[in-house]
């Protein structure tokens, strides 16, 4: 256990655990649990599964271990996308917990079962969430277990809303979750020990719950466009993770770290900190090098982030290659739709890929059979169609699509989509000679972009304000806007040069196999800055 949790001597840990398997009950089951975790980290899931099945078979007289091992095997099946087997195991676990009189553990297993049912979309989600909410409110148990179940329920609820791209609707649940984790952090684990041994089973340690709440807060802040808040909670979460990882090598902590970095990288690209984003992408690569399982779970996201970075430094061929690689690696519908939307933006910018572009746009048609239920992604699909219509010179059609985006983004406080739609509508009205209407769009776009802050929209808005004021004869306002545009241009240019000069910039050419270990230094940026300025 010490070798497994606190060192990287996997071979030695495996040897000791294998010797512990034939021993008496509690030792046998703990050894089987740890050994299967070790196998999974080494990507030997097929070796872990029979070991867990055997342990489950002989642990029925030991409720704590029986429930924990069932839960562990169900997680393995979930990782392999075998949701039918995972659901079957959790159903067995929930029924076993009911028979031995452990309501807490039964509820934990039951809710995990509901989570899988949501993924399989076999039942409506809202009735399930309502049922879970009623259970936690009515359940009479010790305070720590009740709050633990409440956190589980609220995490389910918050992630459901975030998956659906509903960042305004999620706010009350997120606030409850944040209050709940404050309550649970004041309770002491040893205050009340459960009388039923099966109740010793916990779905997640308290310290891990705190990081998880920070994580979902970052996810919400990024989607809503509160990027400074996302940075603040990322810093808190990473500091907490650093402390935990000094004492605990649990794989879930590395997963939390990677997901946090994935979100803050996207924030950095929006705020004009490409060099920092690139270094953090490299950090994700290093974390994935240490765990084959982590890499297999996050490879598509990693290539997607590189694709977004490539767009930000105007390396469109590399962006296309990264997104194509990500599409090949993912089976996740929401991520697939996100990648396709960004790949369509690359084809629009290139201007000569109409056949491929039409094919992509048909697959993410927001008016007809949109492939995912995400409100945010559907709003983004309307924006991409508006952008394409703008470049085609079909301005009325572009306005229709952009007004749909605005309607949807305003309904759920999707600030960045709102800012992008406003500035593009302002550009359309400027081209059409309607300066007053253009100004009515560009001024709030600039205000919102400054609040986010979104450097590209600020650059675009300041250029439009300069031209609008010049056309209207407002010399002082035109000069002020021109000065703002110059400042934004210089900041973006310096960041562009710094990012492209980093050795990690070579990552943009990686499209196959595990991430490269070393990078050669760059001589400087090799990409055109024309579209940037």
């Amino acid at each position: 256990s010490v070798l497994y949790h606190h060192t990287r001597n996997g071979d030695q840990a495996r040897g000791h655990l294998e010797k512990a398997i034939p021993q008496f009950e509690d030792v046998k089951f703990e050894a089987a649990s740890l050994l299967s975790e070790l196998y999974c980290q080494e990507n030997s899931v097929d070796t872990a599964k029979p070991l867990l099945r055997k342990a489950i078979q002989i642990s029925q007289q030991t409720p704590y271990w029986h429930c924990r091992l069932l839960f562990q095997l169900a997680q393995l099946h979930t990782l392999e996308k075998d949701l039918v087997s995972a659901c079957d195991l959790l159903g067995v676990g929930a029924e076993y917990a009911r028979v031995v009189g452990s309501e807490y553990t039964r509820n934990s297993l039951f809710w995990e079962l509901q989570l899988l049912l949501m993924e399989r979309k076999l039942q409506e989600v809202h009735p399930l969430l309502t049922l879970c909410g009623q259970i936690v409110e009515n359940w009479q148990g010790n305070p720590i277990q009740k709050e633990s179940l409440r956190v589980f329920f609220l995490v389910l609820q918050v992630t459901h809303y975030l998956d659906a791209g509903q960042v305004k609707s999620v706010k009350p649940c997120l606030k409850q979750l944040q209050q709940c984790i404050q309550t649970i952090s004041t309770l002491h684990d040893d205050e009340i020990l459960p009388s039923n041994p099966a109740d010793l089973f916990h779905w997640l340690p308290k310290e891990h719950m705190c990081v998880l709440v920070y994580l979902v807060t970052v996810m919400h802040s990024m989607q809503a466009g509160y990027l400074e808040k996302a940075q603040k909670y990322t810093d808190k979460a990473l500091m907490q993770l650093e402390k935990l990882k000094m004492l605990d090598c649990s794989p879930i902590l590395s997963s939390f770290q990677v997901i946090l970095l994935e979100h803050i990288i996207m924030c950095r690209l929006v705020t004009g900190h490409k060099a920092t984003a690139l270094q953090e992408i490299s950090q994700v690569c290093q974390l994935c090098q240490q765990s084959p399982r982590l890499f297999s779970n996050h490879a598509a996201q990693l290539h997607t982030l590189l694709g977004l970075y490539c767009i930000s430094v105007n390396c469109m061929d590399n962006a296309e290659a990264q997104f194509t690689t990500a599409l090949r690696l993912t089976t996740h519908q929401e991520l697939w739709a996100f990648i396709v939307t960004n790949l369509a933006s690359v084809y629009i910018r290139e201007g000569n890929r109409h056949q491929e572009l039409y094919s992509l746009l048909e697959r993410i048609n927001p008016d007809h059979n949109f492939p995912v239920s995400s409100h945010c992604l559907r709003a983004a699909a309307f924006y991409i169609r508006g952008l394409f219509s703008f470049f085609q010179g079909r301005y009325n059609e572009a306005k229709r699509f952009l007004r749909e985006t605005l309607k949807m983004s305003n309904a759920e406080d999707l600030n960045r989509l709102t800012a992008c739609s406003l500035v593009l509508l302002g550009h359309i009205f400027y081209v059409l000679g309607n300066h007053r209407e253009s100004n009515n769009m560009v001024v709030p776009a600039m205000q919102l972009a400054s609040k986010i802050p979104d450097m590209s929209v600020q650059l675009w808005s300041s250029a439009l304000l300069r031209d609008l004021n010049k056309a209207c004869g407002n010399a002082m306002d035109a000069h002020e806007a021109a000065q703002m545009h110059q400042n934004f241009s210089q900041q973006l240019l310096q960041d562009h040069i710094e990012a492209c000069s980093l050795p990690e910039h070579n990552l943009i050419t990686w499209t196959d196999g595990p991430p490269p270990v070393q990078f050669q230094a760059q001589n400087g940026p090799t990409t055109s800055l024309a579209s940037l300025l």
Side-chain angles (χ1 to χ4, degrees):
S1 181
V2 171
L3 286 166
Y4 171 68
H5 285 297
H6 305 294
T7 77
R8 295 195 180 164
N9 299 323
D11 290 342
Q12 288 184 42
R14 190 189 311 109
H16 286 294
L17 291 168
E18 284 169 350
K19 287 175 188 172
I21 292 282
Q23 306 304 316
F24 53 90
E25 281 190 349
D26 276 7
V27 168
K28 179 186 300 187
F29 301 137
E30 184 173 1
S33 176
L34 285 174
L35 193 53
S36 69
E37 279 184 30
L38 187 61
Y39 287 146
C40 289
Q41 280 193 24
E42 295 169 348
N43 249 12
S44 303
V45 177
D46 288 340
T47 312
K49 283 194 287 193
L51 177 63
L52 285 171
R53 284 193 199 103
K54 177 70 174 171
I56 288 165
Q57 193 179 347
I58 60 174
S59 63
Q60 293 196 28
Q61 302 308 311
T62 314
Y64 167 77
W65 278 112
H66 191 63
C67 292
R68 180 166 167 173
L69 293 164
L70 279 164
F71 194 72
Q72 201 171 339
L73 183 54
Q75 284 182 314
L76 287 196
H77 285 298
T78 307
L79 286 171
E80 293 190 316
K81 305 296 180 190
D82 181 3
L83 301 183
V84 175
S85 298
C87 284
D88 289 345
L89 281 164
L90 291 165
V92 168
E95 177 58 20
Y96 172 85
R98 185 191 67 77
V99 170
V100 297
S102 172
E103 279 298 298
Y104 169 75
T105 299
R106 188 188 78 83
N107 290 336
S108 296
L109 290 159
F110 173 71
W111 286 356
E112 184 70 13
L113 176 59
Q114 306 318 312
L115 183 62
L116 293 179
L117 289 173
M118 288 176 206
E119 272 197 56
R120 289 174 64 193
K121 296 178 174 60
L122 293 182
Q123 298 182 31
E124 287 295 319
V125 173
H126 288 294
L128 288 172
L129 288 173
T130 303
L131 176 61
C132 290
Q134 288 168 354
I135 290 172
V136 78
E137 291 308 322
N138 296 332
W139 185 67
Q140 301 298 317
N142 84 44
I144 291 174
Q145 289 183 321
K146 180 152 183 155
E147 290 306 309
S148 169
L149 284 178
R150 197 193 300 276
V151 170
F152 198 157
F153 161 63
L154 288 168
V155 166
L156 280 180
Q157 204 168 28
V158 168
T159 50
H160 164 62
Y161 278 120
L162 290 178
D163 278 349
Q166 296 174 316
V167 298
K168 184 177 182 180
S169 305
V170 78
K171 283 181 181 178
C173 310
L174 183 59
K175 191 174 180 182
Q176 282 183 58
L177 178 59
Q178 290 163 342
Q179 290 168 344
C180 191
I181 202 67
Q182 286 179 336
T183 302
I184 210 169
S185 60
T186 63
L187 299 171
H188 298 289
D189 291 333
D190 55 359
E191 279 180 0
I192 307 168
L193 284 173
S195 54
N196 190 326
D199 281 343
L200 291 165
F201 171 86
H202 280 279
W203 75 276
L204 199 66
K206 186 166 68 176
E207 297 76 19
H208 294 191
M209 284 185 210
C210 294
V211 178
L212 181 56
V213 174
Y214 282 141
L215 174 55
V216 294
T217 304
V218 169
M219 290 166 73
H220 174 261
S221 301
M222 192 214 73
Q223 277 197 37
Y226 307 133
L227 302 193
E228 288 177 350
K229 186 178 178 183
Q231 176 66 64
K232 173 185 156 187
Y233 280 100
T234 299
D235 291 344
K236 284 186 174 186
L238 290 174
M239 199 181 302
Q240 185 83 359
L241 276 170
E242 203 174 311
K243 290 177 188 171
L244 288 172
K245 288 182 86 170
M246 290 168 72
L247 302 168
D248 183 355
C249 289
S250 175
I252 200 171
L253 297 179
S254 295
S255 295
F256 286 164
Q257 190 175 356
V258 167
I259 297 167
L260 279 163
L261 287 168
E262 286 169 355
H263 282 79
I264 203 61
I265 287 162
M266 288 188 276
C267 293
R268 305 249 196 240
L269 293 173
V270 173
T271 57
H273 298 93
K274 295 184 279 288
T276 308
L278 184 57
Q279 288 167 327
E280 286 166 338
I281 290 172
S282 174
Q283 197 180 335
V284 174
C285 288
Q286 289 164 23
L287 285 164
C288 287
Q289 282 162 5
Q290 296 165 18
S291 166
R293 183 167 130 200
L294 198 60
F295 176 61
S296 66
N297 287 340
H298 291 271
Q301 291 92 317
L302 198 42
H303 286 288
T304 303
L305 291 170
L306 281 167
L308 295 173
Y309 167 76
C310 290
I311 290 176
S312 76
V313 291
N314 198 31
C315 296
M316 294 302 164
D317 288 346
N318 297 102
E320 181 184 353
Q322 291 297 336
F323 289 138
T324 305
T325 303
L327 285 174
R328 176 168 50 81
L329 293 171
T330 190
T331 56
H332 191 276
Q333 277 290 93
E334 277 77 13
L335 181 58
W336 177 89
F338 179 79
I339 297 164
V340 168
T341 304
N342 282 284
L343 183 56
S345 80
V346 171
Y347 290 156
I348 290 169
R349 289 169 199 233
E350 288 184 320
N352 58 355
R353 305 293 295 277
H354 291 125
Q355 191 173 346
E356 295 100 321
L357 181 56
Y358 282 120
S359 172
L360 282 184
L361 291 177
E362 193 51 43
R363 295 167 80 186
I364 52 164
N365 185 346
D367 284 320
H368 181 67
N369 290 337
F370 193 64
V372 293
S373 59
S374 170
H375 182 93
C376 179
L377 286 172
R378 187 163 172 259
F382 274 119
Y383 176 79
I384 286 293
R385 286 192 164 249
L387 186 66
F388 181 49
S389 299
F390 167 73
F391 276 103
Q392 293 272 295
R394 301 196 303 269
Y395 298 128
N396 285 333
E397 185 180 87
K399 283 191 284 184
R400 181 183 85 78
F401 287 128
L402 292 170
R403 282 173 179 143
E404 281 296 324
T405 306
L406 273 178
K407 187 168 73 176
M408 293 185 73
S409 58
N410 284 333
E412 283 293 342
D413 289 350
L414 303 169
N415 289 329
R416 189 160 180 250
L417 266 177
T418 300
C420 289
S421 302
L422 284 170
V423 74
L424 183 49
L425 274 169
H427 202 136
I428 291 168
F429 283 119
Y430 176 75
V431 170
L432 293 172
N434 188 340
H435 294 162
R436 182 179 174 183
E437 197 61 37
S438 178
N439 192 68
N440 289 342
M441 299 291 155
V442 178
V443 169
M446 185 63 160
Q447 291 168 343
L448 197 50
S450 304
K451 185 180 164 187
I452 291 170
D454 186 322
M455 188 66 82
S456 297
V457 175
Q458 286 177 294
L459 183 75
W460 190 356
S461 300
S462 58
L464 275 170
L465 285 171
R466 176 197 62 199
D467 297 344
L468 271 169
N469 283 301
K470 197 182 291 184
C472 296
N474 303 327
M476 282 185 63
D477 290 341
H479 176 74
E480 187 183 331
Q483 191 59 54
M484 274 197 301
H485 185 260
Q486 179 67 18
N487 292 341
F488 292 135
S489 298
Q490 284 303 313
Q491 287 177 52
L492 280 167
L493 180 59
Q494 286 168 11
D495 184 49
H496 182 102
I497 292 168
E498 185 186 347
C500 294
S501 302
L502 289 170
E504 290 88 349
H505 183 74
N506 275 314
L507 274 169
I508 68 172
T509 62
W510 162 60
T511 55
D512 192 37
V517 180
Q518 292 181 323
F519 314 98
Q520 293 180 342
Q522 294 280 304
N523 295 322
T526 55
T527 59
S528 161
L529 299 181
S531 72
L532 184 70
L533 303 181

